[in-house]
Amino acid sequence: MSKAIALPTTEPSQDPRLESRAVANMVLMLAGKLVSLLGNYIYSFAMSLYVLRVTGSAMGFAATLIFGTLPRVILAPVAGALADRLDRKKMVVGMDLASGLVMLLLYGISSAYGLQVSFIYGAAAMLAIANTFLNVAMDAAIPNLVTDRHLVRINSLNQSVVSLTQVAAPFIGGLVFGIIDIRLFVLVNGIAFILSAVSEIFIDFQLTAPPETEAPASPKLLAEMGEGFTFLRQHNLLFTLGMFFVFLNFCVGLGAISVPYILNNVVGMDATLFGILNGLLPAGIFLGSLLISALPEFRRRYPVIMVSLLVMALALAVCGLPTLPQLLAFGERPIFWYYCILLLVIGFSNPFINIPIFVMMQRQIPDNFRGRVFGVIQTMCIAITPVAYLLAGFLLEKLPPWSVPLGAGLSMLAVVGLLAANKEFRKI
């Protein structure tokens, strides 16, 4: 039977000292997140290029990315269960410290034995493990770092940081690979991780935590991992939103393969222009997140989410139009500007969907279940992405290229209809 959880309707009295500490928490958390994500993304990108140059193998290049992704799928439920039973501050600080030690160990070993590919794979896997535990613990802790009036802002700025690193990491990673000794980068990266861990020591993870945060730990870790999904199933709206995130990732995954395929194999886009287009989706997310952080919180989330979903779905559906012979004849430049607009629109719409829903889930899920629930959702979202990639690759070989993004867009429109039919969702 579905259970309803009431949203908070009142804001605690605004104690100036509490507000000041909340802002300090926000700054320290975002700074630590920026360093951690940049370190992980740059390492993954630069080391992938290094492996490609050393081995000349595309499979070796892909393996570095796989070792950096697979642990997230497997371990997110474990990270969620531990985030609900352990001290989240110790988890966050410990994982950044562990990442720093992995980098310093890699520097030491590579100085003695050379930078071997097996060392790179091992370090990529360990960084991914540490980052998985850190991100789940931090996502679960965010509502305890700030007062409720700052919750939308901290989530918006958090999304901005993620998008900024996605734009910056390939550029910085390319510079690192081309200009700096790769082992020096490993050393600097290790020091940065450790400094990030030191800064996170000063975050108050219990600033607005409810009393029930200190629940006794159960010895049954495996049972606790399953409780995240059980909790979702017991609450109709939360389950609907969790499945929505999974399906949204699936549709975006179809587009993520279709658009590069169209640009490279059908349009024959210049490499420089293609590189610019690659950065526009996260750039749009960055701009949308920044705007949300500057705006007052929406009183009614439902209209904002639905309009943004419609815009994203329609933009995704028309991504394949330039493959039609009549439009392909316009040439490369008009098609480039067409995709500039579409990718910015898709990226800009994304935060107006994700952030209001994520904030609502943070408020509705009890503190002692938040880690497990987010761990389950993260696992499903990450796991569905390669399925979407494989399906898109198969369909692009069998069907006209325009049909795959069109199908993804129409599927999103169908989800819009299902959400519109959900009475609980219409009330948010």
Side-chain angles (χ1 to χ4, degrees), residues 32-195:
K33 188 73 173 279
L34 179 64
V35 171
S36 296
L37 286 177
L38 270 180
N40 275 279
Y41 287 160
I42 295 172
Y43 175 87
S44 180
F45 189 83
M47 287 303 183
S48 298
L49 293 177
Y50 178 82
V51 169
L52 184 61
R53 186 180 70 179
V54 170
T55 65
S57 166
M59 183 58 70
F61 177 84
T64 310
L65 300 177
I66 291 170
F67 277 107
T69 303
L70 192 59
R72 303 176 197 275
V73 179
I74 299 170
L75 295 176
V78 181
L82 290 177
D84 285 338
R85 65 152 58 189
L86 302 179
D87 186 320
R88 290 170 185 160
K89 179 174 183 174
K90 291 179 180 177
M91 281 186 68
V92 170
V93 173
M95 291 303 102
D96 257 344
L97 186 61
S99 297
L101 293 177
V102 166
M103 289 289 94
L104 295 181
L105 179 63
L106 179 62
Y107 174 76
I109 294 176
S110 63
S111 297
Y113 302 102
L115 190 56
Q116 298 181 27
V117 171
S118 58
F119 300 159
I120 292 172
Y121 291 162
M126 285 187 280
L127 280 184
I129 291 169
N131 189 249
T132 299
F133 282 83
L134 185 149
N135 281 338
V136 172
M138 187 64 85
D139 285 344
I142 282 176
N144 302 343
L145 305 184
V146 295
T147 54
D148 190 70
R149 66 192 294 264
H150 289 298
L151 192 54
V152 171
R153 180 168 290 110
I154 192 172
N155 278 285
S156 302
L157 293 174
N158 184 42
Q159 183 61 68
S160 297
V161 166
V162 173
S163 304
L164 180 64
T165 55
Q166 289 173 340
V167 174
F171 174 72
I172 299 174
L175 288 179
V176 166
F177 178 73
I179 299 174
I180 305 171
D181 184 293
I182 200 74
R183 284 179 297 182
L184 177 61
F185 160 71
V186 170
L187 176 62
V188 172
N189 205 19
I191 295 171
F193 274 122
I194 292 173
L195 291 176

Side-chain angles (χ1 to χ4, degrees), residues 376-414:
V376 168
I377 293 173
Q378 186 179 121
T379 294
M380 291 190 293
C381 287
I382 297 173
I384 201 68
T385 302
V387 176
Y389 290 171
L390 290 172
L391 180 61
F394 173 79
L395 293 176
L396 286 167
E397 292 183 352
K398 304 293 182 181
L399 302 173
W402 55 265
S403 64
V404 179
L406 177 62
L410 293 177
S411 299
M412 282 187 65
L413 287 175

Side-chain angles (χ1 to χ4, degrees), residues 291-318:
L291 180 59
I292 292 176
S293 71
L295 293 172
E297 184 172 356
F298 305 119
R299 290 184 179 276
R300 288 277 287 126
R301 302 172 187 85
Y302 174 76
V304 174
I305 294 170
M306 295 303 283
V307 169
S308 301
L309 264 175
L310 285 170
V311 170
M312 180 185 283
L314 291 172
L316 182 58
V318 299

